[in-house]
Amino acid sequence: MNSISKRIADELGVREQQVNATVGLLDGGATVPFIARYRKEVTGSLDDSQLRLLEERLRYLRELEDRRATILKSIDEQGKLSDELRASIEAADAKNRLEDLYLPFKPKRRTKAQIAREAGLEPLANALFDDPRQEPETLAAGYLNDDGGFPDTKAALEGARYILMERFAEDAELLGRLRDFIWQQAQLKVSVIEGKENEGAKFRDYFDHVEPLRKVPSHRALAILRGRNEGILSYTLAVGDSEENRRQPHPAEPRIAAHWQIRDQGRAADKWLSEVVRWTWRVKLSTQIETDLMSQVREAAETEAINVFAANLKDLLLLAPAGPRPTLGLDPGLRTGVKVAIIDGTGQVTGHGAIFPHAPQNKWDTSIEQLAKWSREYSIELVAIGNGTASRETEKLVADVIKRYPELNLARIVVSESGASIYSASEFASRELPDLDVTIRGAVSIARRLQDPLAEMVKIEPKSIGVGQYQHDVSQVQLARS
């Protein structure tokens, strides 16, 4: 725990005692808003941003420590935990690094490499790797095993190849270097799946799209990932021209060879070892690293999207309230009309109805007279207009009311109606406004969120308010937490 506290303190640039005090409060069930507001003297006046970051890092680092302990126990139980390996695992500071170190020891289904080892082919693989001067076909003839499924030299060499491939692909240092190399060099190439052009028209910007992987902005990454999930787009990571010409070695292959000190010097087994390297990349590592890096892109994009959502939501919730003033709430619509709710200064519903100023009924003048009548009768001061369909037309209608009847002293304000429809059909709204139709409840919410945005918006689940992009594609747990 002390190491976690010290690390967080270093990252945040605060004292370790402040971190320890905050961790104690969080573990005791206190929330970040509560600590920020009422426990400044305990935390040394850490602000809400620092506290949120502290809570996130605490969660991540504790998960990291739990995973570290599980991995150490698993390898120890296998009897393979050397001092060097323990030191590497103890020093790992990220989940990716931990999993790379654990990969060779991770319990897995019987692989082709394991079957080959059981058939006694590991000495063949080691011999060809250690001394490439030996002739592979000749050497393999001494390791045939009919019962194990390796009756000839071709099968034996294939088994030896799978053993080396697994060994090469499970080297933590190599994995880390390749991941960094591909991240820096790869182009994300996106294309439309043949025959999906019409169905996926909304993704047309990505039908033939290429850009550096590390520079893909969050909104574009989430759009591409959604397109792939919907079966419209496909993507690949390309480095150099190896993707266009499959006969050319991928730029990762020389790095694998260099890491394992494999060089083509014309020796008997050099060509065979080069094929092992080629297969290691094509079969074992390319898909794994692409998956890892796209997960990294997705996580970064989700984090950015969630941060934008949280910032937008905060701005929306903290809009200045208009105060306890009688208000008309207008939920605009065309064919179904404009729903009207009349709210007094305390937020209570004192009347409601509907007007039909727009097509197809076009009762413009009648609607103006009706709004003026309600305004006089209920001493209305404010008119809140939802910003959905027909919002501009409805705002023009209210402008005509104000122009025709200036003595009413009305003020019109367009407000966000995000989440109003969700609220209107919610159990909360049913209890709060049981006698009103669902459509009128939306107009009530629009009026109230002008009077007091925070008091009204907290009735709606944050993800239903719609102030971010791709909010249904990101981690719902992290979104809710944010």
Side-chain angles (χ1 to χ4, degrees):
M1 182 58 217
N2 287 338
S3 62
I4 291 178
S5 293
K6 186 176 187 311
R7 182 168 172 181
I8 294 174
D10 291 342
E11 289 177 2
L12 295 182
V14 299
R15 299 191 312 277
E16 191 174 345
Q17 295 93 316
Q18 290 175 281
V19 176
N20 286 330
T22 305
V23 170
L25 291 169
L26 290 169
D27 288 344
T31 64
V32 165
F34 175 84
I35 297 170
R37 178 69 181 84
Y38 298 110
R39 291 294 180 267
K40 286 182 177 293
E41 74 286 354
V42 178
T43 67
S45 296
L46 293 180
D47 62 34
D48 59 326
S49 298
Q50 291 173 309
L51 290 169
R52 276 192 295 273
L53 183 55
L54 188 155
E55 184 184 36
E56 285 296 324
R57 291 299 290 157
L58 177 66
R59 186 179 294 110
Y60 178 89
L61 292 174
R62 281 180 168 173
E63 289 172 358
L64 184 70
E65 291 306 315
D66 288 345
R67 184 62 178 154
R68 194 193 315 276
T70 299
I71 288 172
L72 286 169
K73 181 181 178 183
S74 174
I75 299 175
D76 193 31
E77 287 173 349
Q78 297 174 42
K80 299 176 180 177
L81 186 61
S82 65
D83 290 342
E84 183 181 357
L85 179 58
R86 178 187 289 276
S88 295
I89 292 173
E90 293 285 3
D93 59 357
K95 291 179 181 177
N96 261 354
R97 172 66 175 164
L98 262 185
E99 297 302 331
D100 287 349
L101 290 166
Y102 184 40
L103 194 57
F105 310 98
K106 198 172 189 175
K108 55 176 82 77
R109 292 174 298 183
R110 281 181 85 228
T111 62
K112 291 181 179 180
Q114 187 175 346
I115 293 169
R117 278 193 292 269
E118 291 169 358
L121 294 177
E122 190 159 26
L124 170 61
N126 291 338
L128 290 171
F129 177 71
D130 293 337
D131 186 4
R133 293 173 297 178
Q134 302 182 78
E135 172 59 50
E137 294 279 346
T138 304
L139 194 62
Y143 291 90
L144 305 187
N145 185 332
D146 288 340
D147 295 337
F150 300 94
D152 52 40
T153 56
K154 181 180 178 181
L157 286 172
E158 187 172 297
R161 182 176 67 203
Y162 277 112
I163 290 171
L164 289 182
M165 283 167 59
E166 188 170 279
R167 185 184 303 170
F168 292 176
E170 292 181 348
D171 184 277
E173 296 298 328
L174 176 61
L175 278 172
R177 290 175 188 171
L178 287 177
R179 203 178 282 119
D180 289 344
F181 169 70
I182 301 298
W183 174 252
Q184 292 295 329
Q185 300 296 324
Q187 298 279 322
L188 176 63
K189 294 193 170 185
V190 187
S191 58
V192 63
I193 294 174
E194 190 173 349
K196 296 285 187 176
E197 290 83 358
N198 292 332
E199 182 184 341
K202 65 183 178 181
F203 297 107
R204 67 172 61 87
D205 289 346
Y206 308 107
F207 282 1
D208 185 17
H209 180 78
V210 181
E211 70 178 307
L213 177 65
R214 61 192 174 92
K215 294 184 178 179
V216 180
S218 63
H219 66 277
R220 205 141 60 220
L222 291 172
I224 291 167
L225 290 168
R226 178 185 284 183
R228 182 175 187 254
N229 291 339
E230 292 184 10
I232 305 298
L233 304 176
S234 65
Y235 60 71
T236 187
L237 302 186
V239 179
D241 61 359
S242 57
E243 298 303 319
E244 283 76 18
N245 185 357
R246 298 292 289 179
R247 295 181 181 179
Q248 292 294 320
H250 189 280
E253 293 172 27
R255 286 165 171 77
I256 299 171
H259 181 81
W260 291 100
Q261 298 181 0
I262 293 172
R263 294 179 292 275
D264 188 355
Q265 299 177 348
R267 294 167 297 187
D270 281 346
K271 184 177 179 182
W272 182 82
L273 287 170
S274 296
E275 280 299 301
V276 173
V277 168
R278 181 179 175 85
W279 278 58
T280 299
W281 172 252
R282 308 264 168 162
V283 176
K284 286 280 190 181
L285 289 179
S286 61
T287 301
Q288 176 188 339
I289 288 179
E290 178 177 302
T291 301
D292 288 348
L293 292 179
M294 289 308 294
S295 294
Q296 181 178 323
V297 168
R298 189 198 72 247
E299 288 170 11
E302 285 190 3
T303 300
E304 177 65 20
I306 288 170
N307 289 341
V308 169
F309 178 89
N312 290 346
L313 180 62
K314 181 178 180 180
D315 290 343
L316 187 61
L317 294 178
L318 297 183
L319 282 172
R325 301 162 67 182
T327 303
L328 277 181
L330 306 185
D331 189 357
L334 293 171
R335 183 181 55 82
T336 56
V338 178
K339 306 303 182 295
V340 183
I342 304 157
I343 310 298
D344 67 15
T346 65
Q348 297 302 307
V349 181
T350 55
H352 59 83
I355 53 177
F356 298 87
H358 312 308
Q361 299 199 31
N362 294 314
K363 296 180 180 179
W364 190 267
D365 289 334
T366 303
S367 299
I368 289 176
E369 294 305 321
Q370 183 61 62
L371 289 177
K373 179 183 175 184
W374 278 325
S375 298
R376 288 193 197 93
E377 184 177 349
Y378 295 99
S379 302
I380 297 298
E381 298 179 25
L382 303 172
V383 182
I385 305 164
N387 67 344
T389 303
S391 174
R392 289 182 180 178
E393 295 87 339
T394 304
E395 185 181 8
K396 184 176 184 303
L397 175 76
V398 177
D400 280 2
V401 174
I402 295 171
K403 184 177 180 181
R404 193 174 298 184
Y405 299 102
E407 71 276 7
L408 294 175
N409 290 320
L410 295 176
R412 71 182 192 275
I413 299 96
V414 176
V415 300
S416 168
E417 62 177 47
S418 293
S421 59
I422 301 293
Y423 161 77
S424 64
S426 68
E427 184 180 348
F428 191 100
S430 296
R431 292 198 308 267
E432 189 178 27
L433 304 167
D435 301 326
L436 294 182
D437 183 76
V438 169
T439 56
I440 298 298
R441 292 174 189 165
V444 173
S445 180
I446 288 169
R448 285 177 172 173
R449 60 179 64 186
L450 176 58
Q451 290 180 331
D452 190 343
L454 181 58
E456 189 63 22
M457 300 295 278
V458 293
K459 300 173 185 176
I460 305 166
E461 198 173 3
K463 68 181 180 183
S464 299
I465 294 176
V467 290
Q469 289 184 313
Y470 304 99
Q471 62 205 48
H472 298 290
D473 294 353
V474 304
S475 166
Q476 297 303 297
V477 173
Q478 289 185 32
L479 181 64
R481 191 181 292 147
S482 176

